[in-house]
Amino acid sequence: MCAMLAGVDVDELRHALGGIVLEAAYLERTLRSAFSALVGSKYAAVVDERLMAAALIEDCERITRYHTGMPAAAKAGVLAALQSCHEANRERNRVIHDTWATRPGNTLVTLHGGRRSHDVQVTERALAEVGQVADRLADAADDLAAGLAIAFG
């Protein structure tokens, strides 16, 4: 075990991070289905195969805003679900891609630095909070699927 993980329950950390990876994959599959449903063409899969989750979310938001075959209430529901997807995906990116350090007591710290800044943002999380990111990813995907079911039947 590396020194960085000293004092952290590595099995719990692996479980939490694995949950994030699994639920992020579920979110991405749901986003691809949403994109196809919103575009309404069998060729949508040709386009969406090259898009990452963030681009899928943005494109789905744009298409939803201009979609003429969707009632206003359904649009609002889909847009709210896509906002949840955006927030959950952003949080997933922070947990997965930031630099990790540990603190005493099963507390993790992520260090996020931007490309255009030398400032570092420090976020402290309990290990249980890392697992909650997976729950938010799953909830966002479920909300999107439900919103699309209302919009398209």
Side-chain angles (χ1 to χ4, degrees):
M1 174 171 58
C2 71
M4 182 189 82
L5 296 176
V8 171
D9 185 333
V10 176
D11 288 334
E12 265 189 65
L13 179 59
R14 285 181 183 143
H15 181 75
L17 292 175
I20 290 172
V21 170
L22 287 172
E23 297 302 348
Y26 169 54
L27 174 63
E28 192 169 320
R29 286 190 309 274
T30 305
L31 286 165
R32 290 186 193 292
S33 295
F35 183 83
S36 292
L38 289 164
V39 169
S41 168
K42 64 183 179 184
Y43 300 109
V46 174
V47 175
D48 80 25
E49 73 179 13
R50 64 177 179 75
L51 298 175
M52 303 295 285
L56 282 165
I57 294 166
E58 290 173 8
D59 287 353
C60 285
E61 286 173 334
R62 281 190 199 101
I63 295 167
T64 300
R65 279 190 199 95
Y66 294 101
H67 203 289
T68 58
M70 193 183 307
K75 275 186 186 186
V78 171
L79 287 170
L82 287 165
Q83 182 60 38
S84 294
C85 292
H86 180 72
E87 291 166 10
N89 189 59
R90 181 177 41 236
E91 193 170 2
R92 172 245 177 238
N93 287 344
R94 294 291 50 91
V95 170
I96 297 298
H97 296 296
D98 286 353
T99 303
W100 284 65
T102 59
R103 305 209 20 142
N106 248 3
T107 300
L108 305 166
V109 176
T110 56
L111 308 172
H112 174 67
R115 290 185 178 140
R116 295 182 179 97
S117 172
H118 295 289
D119 296 334
V120 176
Q121 177 184 358
V122 178
T123 304
E124 187 173 331
R125 300 175 194 261
L127 189 53
E129 291 176 297
V130 175
Q132 292 170 356
V133 174
D135 295 337
R136 284 190 282 282
L137 287 161
D139 291 346
D142 289 343
D143 291 348
L144 179 57
L148 290 169
I150 291 168
F152 295 112

